[in-house]
Amino acid sequence: MNPTFPDPSAALAAGKAPLHLLIAAPRGFCAGVDRAIEIVERAIERYGAPVYVRHEIVHNKFVVDSLRTKGAIFVEELDQVPDGAPVVFSAHGVPKVVPAEATSRGLDWLDATCPLVSKVHRQAERKVEAGKHILFIGHRGHPEVIGTMGQVPEGAMTLVETLEDVAELAFPEDAPLAFLTQTTLSVDDTAEIVAALRARFPQIAGPRAEDICYATSNRQAAVKAIAPRCQLVLVIGAPNSSNSLRLVEVAEREGARSRLIQRAAEIVPEWLDGVETLGLTAGASAPEVLVREVVERLREWREVSEETIVSAEEHMVFKLPRQLVG
Ligand code: 0O3
Ligand code: SF4
């Protein structure tokens, strides 16, 4: 809260037109990202550098680069980890074969999979044990999707990305089906896909509550709260960050132009032409320091007033793996 409104006449005298910022809250780091980064930092303290990390710990270059300077080495596959080196699995989760292989090689491994992603993994196993075939709503090729599909035997899960995919499913109406979802999807798109699944397969079993996590839902709702008042919404996040990409879509559906940026330097000054109210948010993997960097950049061009619009409070904290406690 605490909006600071500059004196418009002073701003105009300085040759800078006023720009009002609506900053979404909640934004930025979620509990799963906080935990994943802390796991890497503590692993470096515990084992000494280097500590290997399989895949970007979270999808943010700034975070990855800072951990690299502390002694993390990022690789894509376990076979890039030398024998005897400690390795951390990223927040997005890994197929079951990955920890199994790490164990068989005698590696010290730590799992930074977000507990909310792990919860979906366990649901997948349980549904398959109960004889269900799973329809998994998610984005093909995303590491969380690869990780979740890798919890069950091949052929036990079918990926559904769109309404068209639902229409093309060849299962009989009474097939023993269940659905699960990726944690970082669009709340609105997913609701439509789930409704289409329920219409085609009335007996389909679903999770009791949405698998889309609290942080994803809250960040999308926070964008909905600001975007209708903005001509432009900037989302700080990486192009491979699913949850950040969804925030751009939400802003655009609410009628604002929206751009995904990784750093302040990517802002094109012309984007601000005609913009009086600018929305600002950050994906779950983007640190707050980058939000401040953007605000400072905007201040170089315009007289900026800031207003934070809080649409929810978050108090979630996840426990660290027991190997790192005590
Ligand atoms: O899954 P997504 O691409 O949004 O991942 P990010 O950007 O690293 O954000 C953290 C979310 C996550 C680890 C999976 O839920
Ligand atoms: Fe966990 Fe949600 Fe954050 Fe993903 S976005 S790491 S599921 S809290």
Side-chain angles (χ1 to χ4, degrees):
M1 294 291 173
N2 301 330
T4 52
F5 296 102
D7 172 2
S9 54
L12 289 171
K16 291 178 172 183
L19 178 69
H20 190 52
L21 282 190
L22 293 183
I23 306 182
R27 64 177 176 279
F29 279 7
C30 59
V33 165
D34 271 333
R35 173 179 181 271
I37 294 170
E38 195 173 346
I39 288 173
V40 178
E41 289 172 342
R42 288 202 184 207
I44 294 168
E45 280 167 25
R46 170 78 49 113
Y47 297 101
V51 164
Y52 284 75
V53 182
R54 185 190 175 280
H55 191 67
E56 291 185 320
I57 186 73
V58 297
H59 291 148
N60 188 274
K61 190 174 177 320
F62 183 90
V63 169
V64 166
D65 287 345
S66 358
L67 290 173
R68 207 178 264 131
T69 64
K70 294 180 184 173
I73 295 180
F74 290 86
V75 296
E76 279 309 309
E77 293 301 340
L78 216 49
D79 58 16
Q80 297 165 271
V81 179
D83 286 339
V87 58
V88 179
F89 306 142
S90 85
H92 316 93
V94 288
K96 269 192 160 176
V97 289
V98 173
E101 190 194 324
T103 302
S104 78
R105 283 183 54 195
L107 298 177
D108 276 322
W109 57 268
L110 290 160
D111 190 2
T113 305
C114 176
L116 299 181
V117 174
S118 301
K119 192 173 137 201
V120 180
H121 289 182
R122 288 195 303 273
Q123 284 175 345
E125 280 184 301
R126 276 205 295 269
K127 303 261 190 230
V128 169
E129 277 163 22
K132 305 274 189 199
H133 181 88
I134 298 173
L135 302 178
F136 186 62
I137 309 173
H139 297 291
R140 189 178 302 279
H142 188 282
E144 183 182 330
V145 172
I146 295 168
T148 303
M149 293 190 81
Q151 301 305 308
V152 296
E154 199 156 345
M157 207 184 258
T158 301
L159 183 64
V160 172
E161 288 188 275
T162 60
L163 286 172
E164 291 71 44
D165 289 349
V166 176
E168 282 167 17
L169 290 169
F171 299 96
E173 193 185 299
D174 59 350
L177 296 174
F179 75 85
L180 295 171
T181 86
Q182 194 177 338
T183 57
T184 53
L185 300 180
S186 152
V187 170
D188 295 336
D189 288 350
T190 307
E192 280 186 21
I193 293 176
V194 169
L197 285 175
R198 290 197 190 283
R200 271 209 67 190
F201 308 105
Q203 297 167 33
I204 194 167
R208 235 174 304 135
E210 280 277 356
D211 294 328
I212 296 176
C213 79
Y214 81 95
T216 298
S217 316
N218 286 349
R219 278 151 194 68
Q220 289 176 22
V223 167
K224 284 188 184 176
I226 60 166
R229 293 170 58 193
C230 302
Q231 291 86 44
L232 174 68
V233 174
L234 295 179
V235 177
I236 304 171
N240 59 341
S241 167
S242 169
N243 79 88
S244 306
L245 291 167
R246 304 292 81 81
L247 298 178
V248 173
E249 290 169 1
V250 168
E252 285 179 339
R253 284 181 194 173
E254 294 296 320
R257 268 189 303 135
S258 184
R259 294 284 181 275
L260 183 74
I261 52 168
Q262 302 203 64
R263 296 294 295 261
E266 291 173 22
I267 303 172
V268 177
E270 285 71 34
W271 291 350
L272 304 182
D273 289 351
V275 174
E276 289 172 4
T277 305
L278 186 146
L280 184 56
T281 188
S285 44
E288 183 64 13
V289 62
L290 300 183
V291 175
R292 295 321 304 171
E293 182 188 78
V294 166
V295 175
E296 293 319 311
R297 180 80 172 168
L298 295 169
R299 283 189 192 283
E300 289 170 16
W301 297 318
R302 303 279 287 272
E303 188 72 29
V304 168
S305 52
E306 291 181 46
E307 187 180 353
T308 299
I309 306 291
V310 182
S311 57
E313 303 276 350
E314 290 181 347
H315 305 284
M316 192 76 87
V317 179
F318 296 130
K319 282 192 201 136
L320 291 170
R322 62 182 185 295
Q323 303 101 299
L324 291 177
V325 185

